[in-house]
Amino acid sequence: EDQVTQSPEALRLQEGESSSLNCSYTVSGLRGLFWYRQDPGKGPEFLFTLYSAGEEKEKERLKATLTKKESFLHITAPKPEDSATYLCAVQARDTGRRALTFGSGTRLQVQP
Amino acid sequence: EPEVTQTPSHQVTQMGQEVILRCVPISNHLYFYWYRQILGQKVEFLVSFYNNEISEKSEIFDDQFSVERPDGSNFTLKIRSTKLEDSAMYFCASSGASGETQYFGPGTRLLVL
């Protein structure tokens, strides 16, 4: 059974204070690992897809990295508008499978 | 930028009633999905739909649930006889030919009384 564990559950940062969010996963062959941002009462907003260990993707203040067992979302010099829940999800490589298995998310609060 | 849309944004229903949640996926996408998120819990997969048939479903997606693509643009989720525990946010998603990156709609908040 595919599993995704995210830590910490919640993180409070001061504006400009960089940090990393962790996503540990177990999957029967990884097709892709996905990061989403979710604001309260809204749908997940796509951020990154990572396919293989060693891959990195960047967008503004966010950088996602992938190893064979975990992924990190690095937030550099965050701003209050980065406050949201960040979700990690995995998709298995099995033929015909497209379902995403999500973690519980990390709730990030960035204070001015 | 193309986006997934969902209607209604909120729905309140009585236990035992049927509800239909509607979605318009991104126009050139081929895979369609429904997920749900009970308040305070993880996003959970319900079903995927490809080439006019269900390609994958979870244990949650029992006989009370059905999906349909009634025309070239809409994708619907029907719950035949709602239960209190069906109260959740329901998200529609779609993905392109590779079926990988999924783009989510804003959700329908369903409350069953």
Side-chain angles (χ1 to χ4, degrees):
Chain A
E1 182 182 334
D2 304 337
Q3 288 194 337
V4 178
T5 303
Q6 292 188 246
S7 62
E9 288 185 14
L11 181 63
R12 184 178 295 181
L13 299 174
Q14 292 296 123
E15 184 172 1
E17 180 186 2
S18 302
S19 189
S20 296
L21 314 183
N22 176 264
C23 170
S24 298
Y25 65 90
T26 304
V27 65
S28 55
L30 181 71
R31 183 192 302 274
L33 183 140
F34 305 85
W35 282 98
Y36 289 88
R37 169 190 171 128
Q38 187 176 32
D39 292 301
K42 303 293 175 78
E45 176 189 342
F46 171 71
L47 294 173
F48 303 109
T49 306
L50 300 166
Y51 295 104
S52 57
E55 190 174 0
E56 299 182 353
K57 294 261 179 84
E58 278 189 75
K59 179 181 177 181
E60 296 180 353
R61 294 177 293 282
L62 300 177
K63 179 180 175 180
T65 61
L66 181 65
T67 73
K68 288 187 178 179
K69 293 183 179 180
E70 57 192 350
S71 177
F72 292 93
L73 185 66
H74 307 278
I75 303 178
T76 302
K79 298 182 178 180
E81 53 261 43
D82 295 323
S83 298
T85 296
Y86 290 85
L87 303 176
C88 173
V90 296
Q91 187 180 59
R93 197 189 299 136
D94 299 347
T95 302
R97 288 192 61 193
R98 294 290 185 271
L100 297 181
T101 300
F102 280 86
S104 298
T106 292
R107 195 169 58 254
L108 173 67
Q109 186 178 6
V110 182
Q111 296 186 315
Chain B
E1 184 175 324
E3 58 183 20
V4 177
T5 59
Q6 292 185 241
T7 55
S9 57
H10 294 78
Q11 175 130 18
V12 181
T13 190
Q14 295 293 322
M15 190 170 55
Q17 294 297 303
E18 174 184 287
V19 295
I20 297 176
L21 309 184
R22 291 183 166 79
C23 167
V24 178
I26 294 173
S27 63
N28 61 345
H29 281 184
L30 300 178
Y31 290 85
F32 314 116
Y33 312 85
W34 285 101
Y35 290 80
R36 78 173 185 190
Q37 187 175 30
I38 295 170
L39 188 64
Q41 297 188 21
K42 295 182 183 183
V43 177
E44 301 175 289
F45 170 76
L46 295 178
V47 65
S48 63
F49 192 85
Y50 173 73
N51 201 24
N52 285 318
E53 61 182 22
I54 291 174
S55 53
E56 188 181 1
K57 61 182 181 179
S58 71
E59 292 177 352
I60 303 168
F61 193 87
D62 61 21
D63 292 344
Q64 292 298 313
F65 292 90
S66 63
V67 290
E68 191 177 35
R69 186 153 165 83
D71 53 44
S73 59
N74 290 283
F75 180 52
T76 62
L77 174 69
K78 182 192 292 186
I79 309 175
R80 268 181 261 285
S81 178
T82 50
K83 304 171 187 150
L84 296 176
E85 54 265 36
D86 293 328
S87 295
M89 278 287 274
Y90 288 81
F91 296 111
C92 175
S94 68
S95 61
S98 66
E100 291 162 359
T101 299
Q102 298 178 20
Y103 297 86
F104 284 74
T108 292
R109 184 179 298 280
L110 176 65
L111 179 60
V112 182
L113 301 177

